[in-house]
mmCIF file of all heavy atoms in Angstrom:
data_model
loop_
_atom_site.group_PDB
_atom_site.id
_atom_site.type_symbol
_atom_site.label_atom_id
_atom_site.label_comp_id
_atom_site.label_asym_id
_atom_site.label_seq_id
_atom_site.Cartn_x
_atom_site.Cartn_y
_atom_site.Cartn_z
ATOM 1 N N PRO E 213 -3.631 -9.884 33.538
ATOM 2 C CA PRO E 213 -4.906 -9.555 32.888
ATOM 3 C C PRO E 213 -5.059 -8.052 32.689
ATOM 4 O O PRO E 213 -4.556 -7.255 33.479
ATOM 5 C CB PRO E 213 -5.955 -10.087 33.860
ATOM 6 C CG PRO E 213 -5.274 -10.129 35.180
ATOM 7 C CD PRO E 213 -3.824 -10.373 34.903
ATOM 8 N N VAL E 214 -5.766 -7.707 31.610
ATOM 9 C CA VAL E 214 -6.126 -6.315 31.324
ATOM 10 C C VAL E 214 -7.609 -6.319 30.994
ATOM 11 O O VAL E 214 -8.008 -6.788 29.930
ATOM 12 C CB VAL E 214 -5.326 -5.755 30.131
ATOM 13 C CG1 VAL E 214 -5.816 -4.358 29.780
ATOM 14 C CG2 VAL E 214 -3.843 -5.745 30.419
ATOM 15 N N GLY E 215 -8.410 -5.862 31.904
ATOM 16 C CA GLY E 215 -9.853 -5.867 31.684
ATOM 17 C C GLY E 215 -10.394 -7.284 31.646
ATOM 18 O O GLY E 215 -9.756 -8.236 32.096
ATOM 19 N N ALA E 216 -11.575 -7.421 31.073
ATOM 20 C CA ALA E 216 -12.222 -8.730 31.048
ATOM 21 C C ALA E 216 -11.728 -9.609 29.902
ATOM 22 O O ALA E 216 -11.771 -10.826 30.000
ATOM 23 C CB ALA E 216 -13.743 -8.538 30.922
ATOM 24 N N LYS E 217 -11.250 -9.002 28.809
ATOM 25 C CA LYS E 217 -10.920 -9.789 27.624
ATOM 26 C C LYS E 217 -9.487 -9.611 27.159
ATOM 27 O O LYS E 217 -9.151 -9.985 26.047
ATOM 28 C CB LYS E 217 -11.846 -9.388 26.467
ATOM 29 C CG LYS E 217 -13.291 -9.732 26.697
ATOM 30 C CD LYS E 217 -14.193 -9.182 25.613
ATOM 31 C CE LYS E 217 -13.783 -9.636 24.247
ATOM 32 N NZ LYS E 217 -14.660 -9.163 23.178
ATOM 33 N N GLY E 218 -8.607 -9.063 27.978
ATOM 34 C CA GLY E 218 -7.260 -8.781 27.515
ATOM 35 C C GLY E 218 -6.186 -9.339 28.414
ATOM 36 O O GLY E 218 -6.438 -9.777 29.533
ATOM 37 N N ALA E 219 -4.958 -9.289 27.905
ATOM 38 C CA ALA E 219 -3.788 -9.724 28.667
ATOM 39 C C ALA E 219 -2.602 -8.872 28.242
ATOM 40 O O ALA E 219 -2.457 -8.545 27.066
ATOM 41 C CB ALA E 219 -3.486 -11.197 28.416
ATOM 42 N N ARG E 220 -1.767 -8.512 29.209
ATOM 43 C CA ARG E 220 -0.537 -7.785 28.908
ATOM 44 C C ARG E 220 0.626 -8.732 29.175
ATOM 45 O O ARG E 220 0.722 -9.329 30.248
ATOM 46 C CB ARG E 220 -0.408 -6.533 29.767
ATOM 47 C CG ARG E 220 0.868 -5.748 29.435
ATOM 48 C CD ARG E 220 0.949 -4.408 30.135
ATOM 49 N NE ARG E 220 -0.110 -3.530 29.666
ATOM 50 C CZ ARG E 220 -1.040 -2.995 30.465
ATOM 51 N NH1 ARG E 220 -1.039 -3.245 31.751
ATOM 52 N NH2 ARG E 220 -1.970 -2.210 29.976
ATOM 53 N N VAL E 221 1.497 -8.846 28.185
ATOM 54 C CA VAL E 221 2.638 -9.753 28.278
ATOM 55 C C VAL E 221 3.908 -8.912 28.179
ATOM 56 O O VAL E 221 4.032 -8.076 27.283
ATOM 57 C CB VAL E 221 2.595 -10.806 27.143
ATOM 58 C CG1 VAL E 221 3.705 -11.833 27.319
ATOM 59 C CG2 VAL E 221 1.240 -11.483 27.083
ATOM 60 N N SER E 222 4.836 -9.136 29.106
ATOM 61 C CA SER E 222 6.090 -8.379 29.127
ATOM 62 C C SER E 222 7.259 -9.314 28.842
ATOM 63 O O SER E 222 7.322 -10.429 29.361
ATOM 64 C CB SER E 222 6.286 -7.718 30.487
ATOM 65 O OG SER E 222 5.233 -6.828 30.761
ATOM 66 N N PHE E 223 8.181 -8.830 28.016
ATOM 67 C CA PHE E 223 9.378 -9.588 27.639
ATOM 68 C C PHE E 223 10.605 -8.717 27.888
ATOM 69 O O PHE E 223 10.554 -7.502 27.729
ATOM 70 C CB PHE E 223 9.350 -9.940 26.149
ATOM 71 C CG PHE E 223 8.211 -10.819 25.734
ATOM 72 C CD1 PHE E 223 7.037 -10.272 25.229
ATOM 73 C CD2 PHE E 223 8.308 -12.195 25.830
ATOM 74 C CE1 PHE E 223 5.989 -11.070 24.830
ATOM 75 C CE2 PHE E 223 7.262 -13.008 25.432
ATOM 76 C CZ PHE E 223 6.095 -12.444 24.941
ATOM 77 N N GLU E 224 11.710 -9.371 28.261
ATOM 78 C CA GLU E 224 12.995 -8.690 28.375
ATOM 79 C C GLU E 224 14.013 -9.465 27.565
ATOM 80 O O GLU E 224 14.119 -10.688 27.680
ATOM 81 C CB GLU E 224 13.445 -8.607 29.839
ATOM 82 C CG GLU E 224 12.606 -7.647 30.656
ATOM 83 C CD GLU E 224 13.090 -7.546 32.102
ATOM 84 O OE1 GLU E 224 14.219 -8.013 32.403
ATOM 85 O OE2 GLU E 224 12.329 -7.007 32.915
ATOM 86 N N SER E 225 14.743 -8.767 26.738
ATOM 87 C CA SER E 225 15.774 -9.347 25.864
ATOM 88 C C SER E 225 15.208 -10.476 25.003
ATOM 89 O O SER E 225 15.790 -11.555 24.901
ATOM 90 C CB SER E 225 16.973 -9.831 26.669
ATOM 91 O OG SER E 225 17.567 -8.741 27.346
ATOM 92 N N ALA E 226 14.091 -10.197 24.374
ATOM 93 C CA ALA E 226 13.454 -11.182 23.486
ATOM 94 C C ALA E 226 13.969 -10.987 22.066
ATOM 95 O O ALA E 226 14.238 -9.863 21.641
ATOM 96 C CB ALA E 226 11.936 -11.012 23.518
ATOM 97 N N ARG E 227 14.105 -12.077 21.324
ATOM 98 C CA ARG E 227 14.467 -11.987 19.906
ATOM 99 C C ARG E 227 13.285 -11.394 19.150
ATOM 100 O O ARG E 227 12.166 -11.893 19.242
ATOM 101 C CB ARG E 227 14.820 -13.354 19.348
ATOM 102 C CG ARG E 227 16.120 -13.914 19.886
ATOM 103 C CD ARG E 227 16.574 -15.204 19.197
ATOM 104 N NE ARG E 227 15.580 -15.913 18.414
ATOM 105 C CZ ARG E 227 14.791 -16.892 18.874
ATOM 106 N NH1 ARG E 227 14.898 -17.261 20.144
ATOM 107 N NH2 ARG E 227 13.925 -17.493 18.095
ATOM 108 N N PHE E 228 13.516 -10.314 18.418
ATOM 109 C CA PHE E 228 12.428 -9.613 17.742
ATOM 110 C C PHE E 228 11.734 -10.495 16.715
ATOM 111 O O PHE E 228 10.508 -10.494 16.620
ATOM 112 C CB PHE E 228 12.940 -8.332 17.069
ATOM 113 C CG PHE E 228 11.834 -7.556 16.423
ATOM 114 C CD1 PHE E 228 10.980 -6.785 17.184
ATOM 115 C CD2 PHE E 228 11.634 -7.624 15.053
ATOM 116 C CE1 PHE E 228 9.949 -6.080 16.601
ATOM 117 C CE2 PHE E 228 10.594 -6.925 14.457
ATOM 118 C CZ PHE E 228 9.753 -6.151 15.235
ATOM 119 N N ASP E 229 12.509 -11.278 15.960
ATOM 120 C CA ASP E 229 11.879 -12.131 14.950
ATOM 121 C C ASP E 229 11.003 -13.206 15.592
ATOM 122 O O ASP E 229 9.933 -13.534 15.085
ATOM 123 C CB ASP E 229 12.916 -12.749 14.011
ATOM 124 C CG ASP E 229 13.993 -13.537 14.747
ATOM 125 O OD1 ASP E 229 14.126 -13.382 15.967
ATOM 126 O OD2 ASP E 229 14.705 -14.313 14.080
ATOM 127 N N ALA E 230 11.409 -13.732 16.739
ATOM 128 C CA ALA E 230 10.580 -14.715 17.443
ATOM 129 C C ALA E 230 9.312 -14.054 17.984
ATOM 130 O O ALA E 230 8.221 -14.643 17.931
ATOM 131 C CB ALA E 230 11.370 -15.353 18.584
ATOM 132 N N LEU E 231 9.436 -12.821 18.466
ATOM 133 C CA LEU E 231 8.283 -12.080 18.971
ATOM 134 C C LEU E 231 7.278 -11.819 17.850
ATOM 135 O O LEU E 231 6.075 -12.032 18.013
ATOM 136 C CB LEU E 231 8.743 -10.761 19.602
ATOM 137 C CG LEU E 231 7.669 -9.870 20.202
ATOM 138 C CD1 LEU E 231 7.039 -10.544 21.411
ATOM 139 C CD2 LEU E 231 8.269 -8.529 20.586
ATOM 140 N N ALA E 232 7.761 -11.394 16.697
ATOM 141 C CA ALA E 232 6.872 -11.144 15.557
ATOM 142 C C ALA E 232 6.205 -12.436 15.095
ATOM 143 O O ALA E 232 5.002 -12.455 14.785
ATOM 144 C CB ALA E 232 7.656 -10.512 14.408
#
Side-chain angles (χ1 to χ4, degrees):
V214 175
K217 294 173 56 178
R220 181 173 295 121
V221 186
S222 300
F223 298 95
E224 290 182 14
S225 298
R227 290 187 344 268
F228 183 78
D229 56 344
L231 181 66

